[in-house]
Amino acid sequence: MAERFDVIVVGAGMAGNAAAYTLAKGGLKVLQIERGETPGSKNVQGAILYADAIEKIIPDFRDDAPLERHLIEQRVWVMDDASYMGTHYRSEDFNKPPYNRYTIIRVHFDQWFNKKAREAGVLTICETTVTDLLIEGGKVVGVRTDRQGGEIRADAVILADGANSRLAVKAGFQPEIKPENVALAVKEIHFLPQETIEARFNIGEDEGVVIEMAGKISAGMMGTGFLYTNKESITLGVGCMLSDFKEQKVTPYELLDRMKAHPSIAPLIAGSEMKEYAAHLIPEGGYHAIPQVYGEGWMIAGDAGQFVNGLHREGSNLAMTTGMLAAQTLIELKAAGKPFSAANLAGYKQKLDDSFVMKDLKKYRRMPEIFHKNKQFFTTYPDLLSKAAQTLIRVDGVDKKTKEKEIRKSFVASRSLFGLIADAFKFWRAVE
């Protein structure tokens, strides 16, 4: 392609579409390259959409975006092998427009988002793989694709090509992603009649529920499970660190099967038809795993930059925000007549630092290492909490003071007094 562009965006996921759309609306000439058959074709599974992030990019997105249900209830479960204990938060405030969070089906949403980008002026090419970045004199000047004569030039390239950005690694912009910094999540979509879903979760039409789970369902590995409601289906899955899967030699699908058989999960999906299954890498190394995100003529956005808040299970909002901020940086430089040099693209990093993205990731910077090294949070404590709850709730003629002593004794026997104090401090350090 002899044509030259202001910016080439690699990837048509959340970050790539946010960047491409924002750039085109800012008047820049944009080429977007996606290796899938269509935008979102690799993302068949459901997901959660955070309204605040997309609203900053497309304020009227609710008019025609393919949304499933708005979420009115959040549940958090800590699970052992046969039970769970946790918290629920349900509010009628979340049932009033404008709604805060939605469930979506990624393939539909990504196609809609990319259509908006194309309507804004983006040229999107699918079924095309970027094999290399073109680098001249230390500056990225375009890309090389797997198409014949596939060298395309641009003043800047935004890499939004997912958790395992081969382009960034190949160009030496970041090292190979470490197994302890990435989770492998598996998801299934189970189809049920709409009225069945609404009855089982005590919700009305278009209302939704999300359940986040931790504990024994991760089989002693650092990981979590999740379940949320779509209009006529339920998305559920589990993810653990890739390093733990390798160490324990448990397959992700075995873990998902155990989760579906849990007595608290099985009734929610009983009678459903499973039609879709997907596996996905999620960068969860946190703040300390974020690579250099800009350089001479290039920037990184979304999962490629490790922008995921693992504790709060937030990813799409960070992807869209980083894509938008990368685009805004280029728009401002173009308007000022300044080159896309590393010195000028440092403004992208400043925008990130000023945003919730880096502030939240910095807040939880210790979490990955602490939880990875202290698996008792996923094994011992779920058991102790469940037994404590059952001891207190069971009516068996034993007085409550004796029960409380029994509970304290079980905690000390399992972890020791010093261990309990140390674990409390570690947990506080992880989330403070």
Side-chain angles (χ1 to χ4, degrees):
M1 185 180 289
E3 193 173 1
R4 185 181 181 89
F5 296 85
D6 291 319
V7 186
I8 294 173
V9 178
V10 183
M14 290 290 196
N17 283 328
Y21 177 87
T22 304
L23 287 163
K25 294 294 282 186
L28 275 66
K29 188 176 182 181
V30 186
L31 172 66
Q32 184 179 34
I33 303 175
E34 164 60 34
R35 65 184 174 88
E37 184 178 350
T38 62
S41 60
K42 304 188 302 297
N43 296 316
V44 297
Q45 74 274 15
I48 293 178
L49 177 73
Y50 301 88
D52 177 74
I54 184 65
E55 198 168 30
K56 285 182 169 63
I57 301 167
I58 305 177
D60 60 352
F61 79 95
R62 293 180 179 87
D63 292 346
D64 59 350
L67 307 172
E68 291 288 303
R69 292 178 180 270
H70 62 270
L71 294 170
I72 67 166
E73 183 176 316
Q74 173 83 47
R75 305 180 189 178
V76 179
W77 290 357
V78 177
M79 310 173 76
D80 66 2
D81 292 323
S83 61
Y84 77 85
M85 66 180 302
T87 63
H88 291 192
Y89 182 75
R90 180 173 180 138
S91 174
E92 192 61 21
D93 287 340
F94 285 141
N95 207 16
K96 299 173 184 176
Y99 304 120
N100 182 256
R101 295 186 298 166
Y102 299 86
T103 53
I104 57 172
I105 304 298
R106 278 292 302 271
V107 64
H108 302 317
F109 187 85
D110 287 5
Q111 289 175 356
W112 169 86
F113 202 172
N114 183 255
K115 181 174 181 287
K116 291 293 185 182
R118 287 184 281 112
E119 289 172 350
V122 175
L123 173 60
T124 302
I125 300 177
C126 295
E127 297 184 276
T128 302
T129 300
V130 176
T131 58
D132 292 282
L133 296 175
L134 299 179
I135 302 177
E136 296 177 358
K139 185 180 189 307
V140 172
V141 296
V143 301
R144 181 179 294 112
T145 73
D146 59 355
R147 295 195 174 198
Q148 186 175 0
E151 290 193 359
I152 313 168
R153 294 185 170 256
D155 295 327
V157 174
I158 296 178
L159 299 177
D161 51 338
N164 192 22
S165 178
R166 303 309 305 163
L167 290 172
V169 172
K170 198 171 183 180
F173 298 156
Q174 64 184 45
E176 291 276 358
I177 193 167
K178 296 179 181 179
E180 60 267 29
N181 287 337
V182 63
L184 176 58
V186 288
K187 292 183 178 182
E188 289 182 351
I189 294 188
H190 289 247
F191 285 80
L192 284 166
Q194 180 173 336
E195 57 272 18
T196 301
I197 292 173
E198 290 165 1
R200 288 183 182 179
F201 290 89
N202 189 28
I203 51 177
E205 186 177 0
D206 295 331
E207 297 172 358
V209 172
V210 58
I211 306 174
E212 295 175 355
M213 295 162 269
K216 298 293 285 294
I217 58 165
S218 63
M221 298 183 285
M222 178 180 170
T224 56
F226 50 88
L227 181 153
Y228 39 86
T229 56
N230 306 311
K231 284 183 179 177
E232 297 181 334
S233 63
I234 293 172
T235 298
L236 76 161
V238 62
C240 295
M241 305 309 289
L242 195 57
S243 56
D244 284 349
F245 276 126
K246 292 175 66 176
E247 181 180 321
Q248 295 210 12
K249 295 180 171 42
V250 177
T251 69
Y253 198 78
E254 287 173 343
L255 205 61
L256 183 57
D257 273 348
R258 294 180 198 173
M259 174 185 169
K260 291 187 295 182
H262 193 282
S264 299
I265 300 294
L268 299 177
I269 59 173
S272 65
E273 182 181 6
M274 195 277 283
K275 291 185 179 180
E276 295 181 3
Y277 169 83
H280 184 61
L281 290 177
I282 303 174
E284 293 198 359
Y287 182 80
H288 292 301
I290 297 172
Q292 177 74 12
V293 294
Y294 69 93
E296 293 289 341
W298 61 272
M299 289 185 285
I300 294 177
D303 283 4
Q306 293 271 335
F307 296 117
V308 170
N309 183 336
L311 184 64
H312 290 275
R313 315 308 306 160
E314 294 180 20
S316 66
N317 55 332
L318 278 71
M320 289 185 285
T321 300
T322 56
M324 177 189 70
L325 294 178
Q328 289 176 347
T329 303
L330 294 175
I331 292 169
E332 291 168 4
L333 292 174
K334 182 78 172 179
K338 295 181 179 180
F340 298 156
S341 64
N344 289 333
L345 293 182
Y348 171 48
K349 179 58 165 56
Q350 186 59 57
K351 289 181 187 294
L352 289 173
D353 289 341
D354 292 339
S355 74
F356 78 93
V357 174
M358 295 298 274
K359 290 177 181 178
D360 283 353
L361 292 177
K362 188 174 183 179
K363 170 180 168 60
Y364 300 120
R365 64 192 179 277
R366 303 182 189 92
M367 186 198 72
E369 182 181 10
I370 289 174
F371 284 165
H372 192 74
K373 291 182 177 179
N374 294 274
K375 299 299 174 58
Q376 65 269 22
F377 290 119
F378 302 96
T379 55
T380 305
Y381 283 106
D383 274 337
L384 288 172
L385 290 170
S386 176
K387 290 174 183 176
Q390 188 168 145
T391 298
L392 282 176
I393 293 171
R394 186 182 295 276
V395 177
D396 53 7
V398 179
D399 65 277
K400 298 302 187 282
K401 190 170 184 178
T402 299
K403 287 176 178 284
E404 290 169 0
K405 287 180 179 179
E406 181 183 334
I407 291 170
R408 286 196 296 269
K409 186 177 179 180
S410 68
F411 272 74
V412 173
S414 295
R415 291 297 299 158
S416 80
L417 183 59
F418 177 79
L420 291 170
I421 295 171
D423 287 344
F425 179 73
K426 291 170 188 174
F427 187 83
W428 173 77
R429 291 277 287 168
V431 302
E432 59 119 352

